[in-house]
């Protein structure tokens, strides 16, 4: 598949930050108020949230401590998922607070920014919601780390578009809100969001594959 034939989200999967032309971001950097503490608050939440869910899930996989404390793996997973959702609300609030306190980009402060914003939000929300529908609550919130396994690998939409529709759909939502708010700071922050998701995918995918490989081996031994 050529680079020009990439789907709407597969480009995020293949994005090499070392090859991204930063000239447009360098130009936008001059429009950002770097003394605004909201930039730090937003960046901190963007960085912390994925490490929180991956760290807690790894601890649970190795120790089962949260399942023991909660009385069952399902109860622990649901509480874990709720904590991630709540943290996501705080992250999104900090992101919006940052954009509200920053200068706007004139060329996007009108119908162009609104149109691009709606387009990205619709596409991103479609990926997020259909991913949640396909995986269910426990499948979405790392239930396999709690011993709650999916019966089969999900290969239908949106997983036939990208391997990580929840991550890249969320990224597209952030892009959409940055366009909607004509925010150079919001668009700059997308670089950090993409970087964090690529780091998490780097650690998460092989570990999840190992979990299901061990599950399959236990099934063969018990057969």
């Amino acid at each position: 598949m050529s680079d020009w034939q990439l789907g709407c989200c597969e480009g995020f999967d293949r994005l090499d930050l070392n090859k991204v032309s930063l000239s447009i971001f360098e130009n936008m950097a001059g429009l950002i108020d770097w003394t605004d503490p909201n930039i730090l608050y937003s960046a901190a939440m963007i960085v912390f949230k994925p490490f929180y869910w991956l760290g807690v899930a790894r601890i649970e996989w190795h120790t089962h401590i949260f399942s023991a404390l909660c009385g069952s793996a399902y109860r622990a997973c649901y509480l874990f998922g709720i904590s991630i959702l709540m943290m996501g609300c705080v992250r999104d609030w900090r992101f919006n607070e940052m954009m509200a306190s920053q200068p706007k980009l004139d060329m996007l402060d009108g119908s162009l920014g609104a149109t691009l914003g709606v387009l990205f939000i619709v596409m991103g929300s479609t990926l997020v919601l259909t991913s949640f529908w396909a995986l269910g609550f426990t499948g979405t919130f790392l239930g396999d780390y709690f011993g709650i396994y999916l019966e089969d690998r999900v290969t239908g939409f949106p997983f036939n578009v990208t391997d990580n529709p929840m991550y890249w759909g969320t990224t597209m939502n952030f892009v959409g809100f940055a366009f909607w708010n004509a925010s150079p700071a919001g668009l700059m922050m997308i670089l950090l969001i993409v970087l964090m998701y690529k780091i998490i995918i780097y650690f998460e995918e092989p570990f999840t594959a190992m979990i299901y490989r061990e599950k399959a081996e236990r099934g063969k031994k018990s057969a």
Side-chain angles (χ1 to χ4, degrees):
M1 179 183 294
S2 72
D3 290 341
W4 299 103
Q5 294 174 306
L6 291 177
C8 65
C9 326
E10 192 174 352
F12 284 118
D13 286 328
R14 296 189 179 187
L15 180 61
D16 184 349
L17 293 177
N18 293 321
K19 297 179 180 179
V20 173
S21 174
L22 298 180
S23 59
I24 185 172
F25 293 102
E26 290 171 355
N27 292 333
M28 285 193 297
L31 302 172
I32 297 172
D33 178 8
W34 294 103
T35 64
D36 181 6
N38 285 309
I39 291 179
L40 179 60
Y41 300 151
S42 179
M45 285 305 304
I46 288 169
V47 171
F48 177 72
K49 182 173 181 280
F51 280 116
Y52 163 78
W53 82 59
L54 190 59
V56 170
R58 290 284 186 99
I59 292 171
E60 168 63 19
W61 168 256
H62 288 295
T63 67
H64 306 294
I65 185 172
F66 301 112
S67 292
L69 289 173
C70 294
S72 76
Y74 277 92
R75 190 177 295 122
C77 185
Y78 272 96
L79 289 174
F80 174 58
I82 291 170
S83 72
I84 292 175
L85 290 172
M86 294 176 63
M87 195 172 297
C89 291
V90 176
R91 176 201 59 188
D92 296 349
W93 170 65
R94 292 298 347 170
F95 185 78
N96 283 314
E97 286 290 298
M98 177 203 67
M99 291 192 295
S101 65
Q102 286 286 319
K104 292 184 179 292
L105 189 62
D106 290 338
M107 66 177 294
L108 293 176
D109 193 12
S111 59
L112 176 61
T115 301
L116 290 172
V118 169
L119 178 63
F120 273 93
I121 290 169
V122 168
M123 291 191 297
S125 297
T126 298
L127 289 177
V128 170
L129 294 174
T130 55
S131 173
F132 185 85
W133 180 264
L135 294 175
F137 192 94
T138 56
T140 298
F141 294 108
L142 302 181
D144 31 33
Y145 286 66
F146 292 77
I148 306 168
Y149 302 106
L150 294 172
E151 292 299 323
D152 299 295
R153 181 181 177 87
V154 180
T155 57
F157 186 82
F159 292 90
N160 56 359
V161 175
T162 174
D163 288 338
N164 300 283
M166 185 66 73
Y167 295 157
W168 301 133
T170 301
T171 302
M172 294 175 78
N173 282 338
F174 277 110
V175 173
F177 282 111
F179 275 130
W180 179 269
N181 289 277
S183 175
L187 292 172
M188 282 286 290
M189 200 64 75
I190 302 304
L191 286 177
L192 179 61
I193 293 169
V194 171
L195 175 62
M196 293 310 304
Y197 279 145
K198 289 180 76 69
I199 291 173
I200 291 303
I201 290 168
Y202 176 81
F203 288 103
E204 185 179 271
E205 285 190 339
F207 197 85
T208 302
M210 180 273 293
I211 289 175
Y212 280 93
R213 186 167 58 251
E214 289 188 356
K215 174 179 178 290
E217 290 173 356
R218 290 196 299 269
K220 291 178 181 178
K221 291 178 180 179
S222 62

